[in-house]
Amino acid sequence: MKETDLSFNKNEDYNKLLLGQINMTLDKVYQGGGSKRLDKIRSQGKMTARERIDFLLDPQTDRFEIGALAGYGMYEEEGGCPSAGVVVVMGYITGRLCIVVANDASVKAGAWFPITGKKNLRAQEIAMENRIPIIYLVDSAGIYLPLQGEIFADKEHFGRIFRNNAKMSSMGIPQIAAVMGSCVAGGAYLPIMSDEALIVEGSGSIFLAGPYLVKAAIGEDVDAETLGGANTHASISGVTDYKMPNDEACLKKIRELIGAIGQPTLAGINRIKSVKPSRNADDLFGIFPEKGLKPYDIRELLEAIVDADSLNEYKKEYGQSIVCTYARIDGWSVGIVANQRTITKNGKGEMQFGGVIYSDSADKATRFIMNCNQKKIPLVFMHDVTGFMVGSRSEHGGIIKDGAKMVNAVANSTVPKFTVVIGNSFGAGNYAMCGKAYDPRLILAWPTAKIAVMGGNQAASVLTQIQVSSQKAKGKTYSPEEELALTNEIKARYEEQTSPVYAAARLWVDAVIDPRKTRSWISSGIEMANHAPIEPFNVGVIQT
């Protein structure tokens, strides 16, 4: 495909427009609770959450925000919860890759919504899986009480965070917490269950119950500073380890503490000198088809992501609806499993349409995944899948059995897995291609991504027929115009729920990214994963 092709240019315009819309949404999110609330925080002599992270991380180094769109469009009756009220960034501190979690006090005083808890747990999961340090910049009013029933008592709720504090400590994963604002109620355990805790004079406070609750519970009159301020916890209770005069000094101290940590034991993932891709990253916009409706060759996309001349395709002529290939990304050895959207012929001369996983493709992918585990090569999954092939011929050929083999191999893989949803990610295809339920170290989406049980057209058709049949049984009939209106209404609602922003808001994906940054995201993800040992691989029982 050449840059002068009309279709290339149309694709480019359409996909850049989608990216522009994502960036506009992110610009809104980055404002947190709004400029007035951010200014109020600054007027108190404090930095905002994002300013704290910028100050803490090494300048002019790569950084990757996890869950920036979390909570977007949710809790509208509560005034919204931009970025889930907490900023999570993977970046470098004195050259050490870390995860930083910073409460955003401009959003409901940093209160914890259900999605806030989920995002904090995701940050801890990344730290635990990859054995990298985690830093908490605490400034939170605690659980958002009107929604406490959705965040307090269950396994994946607020209390799981403290459980993870304890587990990470036993695993030897460094945890540093800085109390830079409010830290109340159950949330007070987080900094104290970390390895080291800092507190900022004048703004930091820690207590299980604030002055009003203390008055109500035991009748004692006490001010916040005496009850749980920096002087109290640094000189009387001994709860904190370092008392710092301001945000800047506190963040500098964290950099010193991280800089003193010993060198990690690496897993030994293979890496050689990086080579630039053979295609420009900008080509990704022109190669991926407008609205994802036309065939394209996944290899052309890969050429703009992997190191030049590093593709080494496995079983190229077999199971052509999935491309399996060894490659290098920024010098790292990887195995790539990617859906192929071109129209091809299988070994029997039968036409195969892109986006569908056939039995032979599932069989090939299973073998390739097992090989990568055997060789300790990280796996990268590139989604543009509508699901497994259906129909009597496929069922008789054992598509369920072959699909189950692939799912088994993905589920039991012990090498680091990374997932990029570039187009469709529907039905069981999402599972087989390492969707969120299958523990990818990072799961990313392009602005062109769609995640759902099935496509909008199919879903609208199915749901319309169900509703029409249900109403018919009650004696009501739809005119063709009414049925079409119903279909369009369902389709519009379904399309909204398949969008990458909808997925990112609920943390089904870690980030919606600029496709041109796919290479750097994966490279840093592998560097992160290289800090953790790779366990032995065993798939258990597989039907043959």
Side-chain angles (χ1 to χ4, degrees):
M1 182 179 291
K2 298 180 180 179
E3 287 76 355
T4 55
D5 288 349
L6 179 60
S7 61
F8 185 98
N9 293 334
K10 288 179 66 177
N11 294 342
E12 188 174 40
D13 290 343
Y14 180 81
N15 291 324
K16 284 186 175 180
L17 177 62
L18 289 183
L19 177 62
Q21 292 169 348
I22 295 294
N23 288 335
M24 288 176 62
T25 301
L26 286 170
D27 286 341
K28 294 178 184 177
V29 165
Y30 295 154
Q31 293 301 309
S35 59
K36 289 184 179 179
R37 292 181 182 175
L38 293 173
D39 288 341
K40 183 179 179 181
I41 289 171
R42 296 184 185 106
S43 71
Q44 297 168 345
K46 297 163 60 177
M47 293 179 174
T48 66
R50 294 184 185 278
E51 289 169 349
R52 287 167 175 168
I53 292 175
D54 286 342
F55 190 94
L56 181 61
L57 296 180
D58 296 345
Q60 298 180 332
T61 57
D62 289 336
R63 57 193 63 182
F64 305 91
E65 184 165 352
I66 306 296
L69 290 166
Y72 186 78
M74 301 169 67
Y75 312 112
E76 294 298 333
E77 293 182 0
E78 312 292 338
C81 188
S83 243
V86 62
V87 184
V88 175
V89 175
M90 180 175 72
Y92 295 88
I93 302 174
T94 63
R96 187 69 171 260
L97 192 61
C98 302
I99 286 284
V100 183
V101 181
N103 297 118
D104 186 350
S106 75
V107 180
K108 298 290 186 183
W112 289 62
F113 284 67
I115 194 67
T116 316
K118 186 175 182 179
K119 185 170 175 179
N120 275 265
L121 290 172
R122 177 58 178 151
Q124 289 184 320
E125 181 180 45
I126 290 172
M128 294 172 76
E129 284 184 332
N130 300 288
R131 307 289 178 91
I132 62 174
I134 184 167
I135 294 92
Y136 309 99
L137 307 181
V138 184
D139 195 347
S140 172
I143 287 176
Y144 184 67
L145 292 178
L147 298 177
Q148 67 87 25
E150 300 176 41
I151 189 176
F152 175 63
D154 209 346
K155 181 178 179 180
E156 300 300 331
H157 284 178
F158 194 68
R160 186 78 171 183
I161 294 168
F162 313 136
R163 175 264 188 194
N164 287 349
N165 288 143
K167 296 295 286 185
M168 280 191 280
S169 182
S170 71
M171 295 166 68
I173 299 170
Q175 298 177 85
I176 297 174
V179 181
M180 309 180 81
S182 296
C183 182
V184 302
Y189 287 106
L190 184 146
I192 313 312
M193 293 190 72
S194 299
D195 301 327
E196 292 180 283
L198 304 85
I199 190 167
V200 177
E201 288 185 86
S203 56
S205 60
I206 311 171
F207 32 66
L208 294 180
Y212 294 115
L213 186 54
V214 168
K215 175 67 174 177
I218 64 173
E220 180 184 1
D221 285 307
V222 61
D223 63 85
E225 185 62 29
T226 303
L227 182 63
N231 289 324
T232 294
H233 287 308
S235 61
I236 300 175
S237 72
V239 163
T240 57
D241 304 304
Y242 307 92
K243 182 178 72 173
M244 309 309 300
N246 51 48
D247 280 10
E248 290 88 347
C250 183
L251 296 168
K252 287 178 181 177
K253 177 64 72 173
I254 294 173
R255 288 182 56 82
E256 291 176 11
L257 296 173
I258 293 294
I261 296 174
Q263 291 299 310
T265 300
L266 301 180
I269 297 172
N270 185 283
R271 191 182 196 185
I272 61 175
K273 184 178 179 181
S274 176
V275 177
K276 290 183 178 180
S278 59
R279 295 194 68 142
N280 193 300
D282 286 332
D283 288 354
L284 294 169
F285 292 115
I287 296 169
F288 194 84
E290 179 184 0
K291 299 182 180 179
L293 296 177
K294 295 181 180 179
Y296 63 95
D297 192 340
I298 189 66
R299 298 175 187 86
E300 292 188 2
L301 286 178
L302 295 179
E303 287 170 358
I305 296 171
V306 307
D307 293 12
D309 302 320
S310 69
L311 290 173
N312 182 13
E313 196 165 341
Y314 175 80
K315 291 183 180 287
K316 183 176 182 178
E317 293 77 20
Y318 180 71
Q320 294 182 41
S321 70
I322 287 183
V323 169
C324 297
T325 182
Y326 299 106
R328 289 192 181 271
I329 295 179
D330 197 20
W332 294 106
S333 174
V334 298
I336 299 173
V337 180
N339 302 114
Q340 177 62 290
R341 284 283 298 276
T342 55
I343 300 174
T344 59
K345 290 184 178 182
N346 63 15
K348 300 177 182 178
E350 300 164 329
M351 299 302 292
Q352 297 190 135
F353 295 91
V356 178
I357 302 177
Y358 292 80
S359 285
D360 53 357
S361 299
D363 177 67
K364 176 176 78 171
T366 300
R367 274 296 287 263
F368 181 72
I369 291 165
M370 294 169 71
N371 277 334
C372 287
N373 275 274
Q374 183 81 354
K375 300 174 182 178
K376 299 191 183 304
I377 297 174
L379 284 160
V380 177
F381 295 84
M382 306 282 286
H383 287 220
D384 192 358
V385 58
T386 54
F388 286 90
M389 189 60 188
V390 297
S392 60
R393 186 169 186 173
S394 292
E395 297 292 358
H396 296 169
I399 187 66
I400 294 176
K401 178 177 66 176
D402 291 319
K405 288 192 293 187
M406 185 175 174
V407 170
N408 190 318
V410 172
N412 284 298
S413 288
T414 56
V415 295
K417 298 171 290 189
F418 301 89
T419 297
V420 185
V421 184
I422 64 175
N424 298 324
S425 185
F426 296 159
N430 173 276
Y431 303 156
M433 293 294 293
C434 196
K436 183 68 180 290
Y438 290 79
D439 299 321
R441 299 294 177 95
L442 291 173
I443 178 167
L444 313 168
W446 286 5
T448 48
K450 293 184 178 182
I451 303 173
V453 173
M454 62 181 72
N457 288 330
Q458 298 94 321
S461 177
V462 171
L463 292 172
T464 298
Q465 292 307 311
I466 290 174
Q467 186 157 337
V468 168
S469 297
S470 174
Q471 292 300 312
K472 186 176 181 180
K474 299 175 182 178
K476 174 180 170 64
T477 58
Y478 282 86
S479 68
E481 293 77 16
E482 289 175 325
E483 189 169 331
L484 178 61
L486 177 61
T487 299
N488 289 336
E489 178 189 345
I490 294 173
K491 182 180 177 182
R493 185 171 69 247
Y494 202 85
E495 287 291 340
E496 178 188 355
Q497 294 177 0
T498 65
S499 76
V501 172
Y502 188 92
R506 288 150 183 82
L507 287 173
W508 301 347
V509 297
D510 292 316
V512 181
I513 67 169
D514 182 334
R516 295 170 295 189
K517 295 182 179 179
T518 305
R519 176 179 167 89
S520 57
W521 269 92
I522 294 174
S523 176
S524 291
I526 297 174
E527 180 185 349
M528 171 184 75
N530 198 32
H531 288 72
I534 297 175
E535 302 298 327
F537 173 65
N538 184 354
V539 296
V541 177
I542 288 184
Q543 287 192 13
T544 58

